[in-house]
Amino acid sequence: QGRLVESGGGSVQAGGSLRLSCDASGYTFRDYCLGWFRQTPKGREGVAAIDPDDNTNYADSVKGRFTISKDDARNNIYLQMNDLTPEDTTMYYCAAAYIRVPGSPNCRLHHPVWSGPDWGQGTQVTVAS
């Protein structure tokens, strides 16, 4: 079993940038969908996801501002967040979802693969207006 440890959160002014990192020790990236979620009053919402082939998808609210990437050699996942707004303020979580049907992974954010992922402990992002 792997472990997910986020870092890189903090406080910035609106319009600023942050880069979140997730140390995903123990995970074989080709076997997992990897993603970033954030906490809302309704629960955790998907922000960005990436599959083993580096295909990505994003929530509409972050498209064009956030970029997910991974480093397979270092077992790290990243979320570059630009043009931040106060609405982006919340806890952000790294997630890993096991791909049960290998060969044609579907890691889109609303796919059932995300029904029970592994979670990190989260990192706080605060954007001041």
Side-chain angles (χ1 to χ4, degrees), residues 81-98:
M81 305 187 296
N82 298 330
D83 194 21
L84 285 160
T85 73
E87 288 71 34
D88 296 315
T89 295
T90 189
M91 286 288 284
Y92 284 73
Y93 298 89
C94 178
Y98 184 68

Side-chain angles (χ1 to χ4, degrees), residues 23-126:
D23 181 347
S25 300
Y27 285 89
T28 302
F29 276 15
R30 66 175 179 272
D31 295 334
Y32 285 85
C33 297
L34 303 168
W36 289 93
F37 288 68
R38 64 186 179 185
Q39 194 68 42
T40 76
K42 295 182 180 180
R44 291 182 186 178
E45 70 170 9
V47 174
I50 187 166
D51 74 13
D53 297 323
D54 289 340
N55 297 303
T56 59
N57 70 108
Y58 299 91
D60 288 343
S61 58
V62 306
K63 280 180 183 176
R65 300 189 299 125
F66 291 11
T67 303
I68 187 171
S69 61
K70 60 182 175 71
D71 185 328
D72 290 17
R74 295 174 182 256
N75 263 57
N76 280 350
I77 311 156
Y78 306 102
L79 186 68
Q80 178 66 43
M81 305 187 296
N82 298 330
D83 194 21
L84 285 160
T85 73
E87 288 71 34
D88 296 315
T89 295
T90 189
M91 286 288 284
Y92 284 73
Y93 298 89
C94 178
Y98 184 68
I99 299 169
R100 288 177 171 74
V101 183
S104 57
N106 186 338
C107 298
R108 299 194 68 78
L109 287 169
H110 297 292
H111 190 271
V113 72
W114 294 108
S115 61
D118 297 333
W119 298 104
Q121 83 289 350
T123 187
Q124 177 68 33
V125 170
T126 302

